[in-house]
Amino acid sequence: MPAYACDLAAVRAAADRITGTVHRTPVMTCGTLDALAGRRLYFKCENLQKVGAFKYRGAANAVLKLTDAEAARGVVTHSSGNHAQALALAARVRGVPAYIVMPKTAPAVKRAAVEGYGGHVTLCEPTLAAREQAANDLVAKTGATLIPPFDHVDVIAGQGTVALELLEDVPDLDALITPVGGGGLLAGCAIAARGVKPTVRVFGAEPLGADDAARSKAAGERLPQTGPNTIADGLLTSTGELTWPVIRDQVEGVFTVTDDEIRSAMRLVWERMKLIVEPSGAVGAAVALGEAFRALSGVQKVGVVFSGGNVSLDKLYW
Amino acid sequence: MPAYACDLAAVRAAADRITGTVHRTPVMTCGTLDALAGRRLYFKCENLQKVGAFKYRGAANAVLKLTDAEAARGVVTHSSGNHAQALALAARVRGVPAYIVMPKTAPAVKRAAVEGYGGHVTLCEPTLAAREQAANDLVAKTGATLIPPFDHVDVIAGQGTVALELLEDVPDLDALITPVGGGGLLAGCAIAARGVKPTVRVFGAEPLGADDAARSKAAGERLPQTGPNTIADGLLTSTGELTWPVIRDQVEGVFTVTDDEIRSAMRLVWERMKLIVEPSGAVGAAVALGEAFRALSGVQKVGVVFSGGNVSLDKLYW
């Protein structure tokens, strides 16, 4: 495997570092979904991870890797999603401050969740420039370390532990599907899975309404996501400078699914597996059930990552 | 332990019989719920059991225990709940017919679920007399064996395997809470848990709107449930002739909770544990979080059974 920002050794080191801090999530199966997919599916339940998403792995790895002096000054990120909660909890577990920049338009419930994990929230205007500025100001003021949501070697390595565990539990997988937004999970899992088992085929799963990774793969170059529009609100960002080369080289393909397919897969998982997955977390399952993936030959046992389970229970999704 | 319809040996025999047919469900924990309960809770996830409820254990045990000649003639029950689905699947797995009597007022979705598992549905008037008559007619006509939902030694023994597994996974439990409707789960678990570990304290969890077991415990005699009114629609029946003596002698107490407490516990489980439990399945958690149970001294580690996860996703519960 060529040199990327992150390698199998980094993923293994992350695994050693975060063991005991993160949940080793279960792998579950479901006869009904197998029948619909036409093959055996092994679901890695990161919706059951702490803070309800795989994001805690990368955040925990990044925070635990800091020196004591660095850690004492705290960590910073700008996010209103699962990474914000993950970083807040990872910092609290280490007993250091987390400064979270959120757009002032973020739902109150998201702010409350971050504060519930002990994070210090700074509100800013809802533009990327304002968020970056506010984060940089916090770094300048506190000396805290910036931990971005995906394009960071320690974050990618942490997310890769998902695939490491999955292949330990189900060594004879011949394919793996993970959702792709910024690509931290997909790149980390590709590095880990193909590092451990070079023959394993790795696929990305993306909403049609935020299909930059699929378009980038088709073009052979990293294309930005503009104007995303999908129920899968954790997958709106473009792939990163560090994650894209891995996706370009080590991921066989990125399959897209419609919001209706996502909703339908999500409902099946709630109904038949009794597991709450969020829309973004169900995109891998939607791909596995979709026509294009089912037409793929030579694939018998597929690992599928349920990446998160953070939904509002105040609304119906169907 | 005095002689009841079912003993530890019968539960162990059931465990041997149904291994490989039923899921060995995971035991899960949640820091948030522990903090609210003031002690460590170990949730036995029977909502992740086949057909979405512990009922499959008892049904599978009863069906597998039949001789080949008996089995060939099929099985009968009258139920519109999880037992109906459980028996239909258990029969299909053995390749024999299941005849399910349902009141014609039962929701179409419940009928469809039974038929989805291959059960033959007979509709009748919505009275107990009509249901019993229809079931007896089917027995007379087909020679099939009647498998009632709870008051049957093989059913009680099958349900007891829940506690057997839980104590294997968490041997230092000092208490166990299960929901109680007809009492198959509670009696089976009391026999198994106290058979394996005589010091373990066993409690029932009941909705206030269907509190016959709590009233029976207070009176020292089996009282019927009349006019039940609760969201926990799996717990409407009275305890049985076989289950009651076990509950009377081996269960320390039955705690009741309001529908609001049930709803609130159910929401916490969905939100924090990402697990779908049905109202009846959340009653044990509601008790563990309630004031009366929290006031109990000398209890550190409590097993709580999530008994089922079959809900309609077309409605909000809060």
Side-chain angles (χ1 to χ4, degrees):
Chain A
M1 202 181 282
Y4 301 110
C6 169
D7 59 14
L8 178 62
V11 180
R12 289 201 193 279
D16 290 343
R17 199 173 286 122
I18 67 181
T19 294
T21 299
V22 307
H23 286 315
R24 180 166 185 126
T25 52
V27 176
M28 298 205 189
T29 60
C30 176
T32 303
L33 272 82
D34 285 357
L36 292 169
R39 43 175 75 101
R40 194 100 166 105
L41 306 178
Y42 297 85
F43 296 101
K44 178 68 171 167
C45 294
E46 288 298 297
N47 55 327
L48 305 179
Q49 187 51 266
K50 289 183 186 175
V51 314
F54 75 93
K55 292 279 186 181
Y56 187 58
R57 295 177 182 265
N61 186 46
V63 169
L64 289 172
K65 204 173 162 216
L66 297 174
T67 66
D68 285 348
E70 288 167 338
R73 294 192 294 271
V75 288
V76 177
T77 200
H78 55 89
S79 161
S80 55
N82 290 332
H83 176 65
Q85 297 181 45
L87 193 66
L89 179 60
R92 188 172 74 178
V93 166
R94 188 153 180 189
V96 303
Y99 306 100
I100 313 291
V101 176
M102 300 179 87
K104 57 188 184 187
T105 50
V109 62
K110 297 211 169 188
R111 180 177 174 173
V114 167
E115 290 177 338
Y117 290 118
H120 306 284
V121 172
T122 300
L123 295 178
C124 72
E125 294 300 318
T127 67
L128 182 59
R131 285 162 64 163
E132 288 179 346
Q133 183 62 54
N136 290 338
D137 289 351
L138 279 165
V139 169
K141 191 172 129 194
T142 62
T145 304
L146 186 70
I147 312 284
F150 55 87
D151 221 22
H152 186 288
V153 53
D154 300 331
V155 173
I156 297 168
Q159 320 308 28
T161 62
V162 170
L164 218 52
E165 291 178 10
L166 182 49
L167 277 164
E168 277 172 16
D169 287 0
V170 193
D172 55 347
L173 283 187
D174 39 34
L176 176 64
I177 306 174
T178 93
V180 53
L185 178 65
L186 180 56
C189 284
I191 289 163
R194 292 174 56 82
V196 168
K197 183 173 181 175
T199 57
V200 81
R201 298 165 70 178
V202 179
F203 300 92
E206 205 174 33
L208 191 59
D211 65 346
D212 63 291
R215 285 186 291 108
S216 298
K217 284 288 285 181
E221 59 171 333
R222 183 161 74 104
L223 301 176
Q225 181 59 48
T226 54
N229 179 17
T230 169
I231 190 181
D233 59 5
L235 305 177
L236 305 183
T237 48
S238 312
T239 59
E241 284 178 35
L242 305 184
T243 58
W244 162 247
V246 182
I247 295 168
R248 181 192 59 209
D249 302 346
Q250 302 296 329
V251 171
E252 182 174 328
V254 174
F255 288 83
T256 57
V257 281
T258 65
D259 278 13
D260 277 349
E261 290 178 292
I262 294 170
R263 231 178 253 115
S264 160
M266 182 175 156
R267 179 164 186 152
L268 267 172
V269 174
W270 288 39
E271 220 158 42
R272 305 305 303 225
M273 302 188 72
K274 313 300 177 191
L275 294 175
I276 291 186
V277 288
E278 60 186 84
S280 305
V283 173
V287 164
L289 300 174
E291 204 173 334
F293 193 80
R294 279 188 287 120
L296 212 64
S297 64
V299 174
Q300 306 301 322
K301 296 189 170 187
V302 183
V304 178
V305 180
F306 285 153
S307 53
N310 292 325
V311 293
S312 163
L313 294 179
D314 290 321
K315 60 176 174 174
L316 288 174
Y317 292 85
W318 19 81
Chain B
M1 201 180 280
Y4 300 111
C6 169
D7 59 15
L8 178 61
V11 180
R12 289 201 194 281
D16 289 342
R17 199 173 287 122
I18 67 182
T19 295
T21 298
V22 307
H23 286 316
R24 180 165 186 127
T25 53
V27 176
M28 299 207 187
T29 60
C30 175
T32 303
L33 272 84
D34 285 357
L36 292 169
R39 43 175 75 102
R40 195 101 165 104
L41 306 178
Y42 297 85
F43 296 101
K44 177 67 171 167
C45 295
E46 289 297 299
N47 55 327
L48 306 179
Q49 187 52 265
K50 289 184 186 175
V51 313
F54 75 93
K55 292 280 187 181
Y56 187 57
R57 295 176 182 266
N61 186 46
V63 169
L64 289 173
K65 203 171 162 220
L66 297 173
T67 64
D68 285 346
E70 287 167 338
R73 293 192 293 271
V75 288
V76 176
T77 201
H78 54 88
S79 161
S80 55
N82 290 333
H83 175 65
Q85 296 180 46
L87 193 65
L89 179 60
R92 188 173 74 180
V93 165
R94 189 152 178 190
V96 302
Y99 305 100
I100 313 291
V101 175
M102 300 179 88
K104 58 188 185 188
T105 51
V109 61
K110 297 211 171 188
R111 180 178 174 173
V114 167
E115 290 176 338
Y117 290 118
H120 305 284
V121 173
T122 300
L123 296 177
C124 71
E125 294 300 317
T127 66
L128 183 59
R131 286 162 63 164
E132 287 180 344
Q133 183 63 53
N136 290 338
D137 288 351
L138 279 164
V139 169
K141 190 172 129 194
T142 62
T145 304
L146 185 71
I147 311 285
F150 54 87
D151 222 24
H152 186 290
V153 53
D154 300 331
V155 173
I156 297 169
Q159 320 308 28
T161 62
V162 170
L164 217 53
E165 292 179 10
L166 182 49
L167 276 163
E168 277 173 14
D169 286 0
V170 194
D172 55 346
L173 283 187
D174 38 36
L176 176 63
I177 305 174
T178 92
V180 53
L185 178 64
L186 179 56
C189 284
I191 289 162
R194 291 174 57 81
V196 169
K197 183 173 181 177
T199 58
V200 80
R201 298 165 71 179
V202 179
F203 300 93
E206 205 174 33
L208 192 58
D211 65 346
D212 63 290
R215 287 186 289 106
S216 298
K217 285 289 284 182
E221 58 170 332
R222 183 162 73 105
L223 300 176
Q225 182 59 48
T226 55
N229 180 15
T230 169
I231 190 181
D233 59 4
L235 305 177
L236 304 182
T237 49
S238 313
T239 59
E241 284 177 36
L242 305 184
T243 59
W244 162 248
V246 182
I247 294 169
R248 180 190 62 208
D249 301 345
Q250 302 295 331
V251 171
E252 182 173 328
V254 174
F255 288 82
T256 57
V257 283
T258 65
D259 278 13
D260 277 351
E261 290 177 292
I262 295 170
R263 229 176 254 115
S264 159
M266 182 175 156
R267 180 166 184 149
L268 268 170
V269 174
W270 286 41
E271 219 158 41
R272 307 304 303 225
M273 301 188 74
K274 314 300 178 191
L275 293 175
I276 291 187
V277 288
E278 61 185 84
S280 305
V283 172
V287 163
L289 299 174
E291 205 174 332
F293 193 81
R294 279 189 287 120
L296 212 65
S297 64
V299 174
Q300 306 301 323
K301 297 188 170 187
V302 183
V304 178
V305 180
F306 285 153
S307 52
N310 292 325
V311 294
S312 163
L313 294 178
D314 289 320
K315 59 177 174 176
L316 288 173
Y317 292 85
W318 18 83

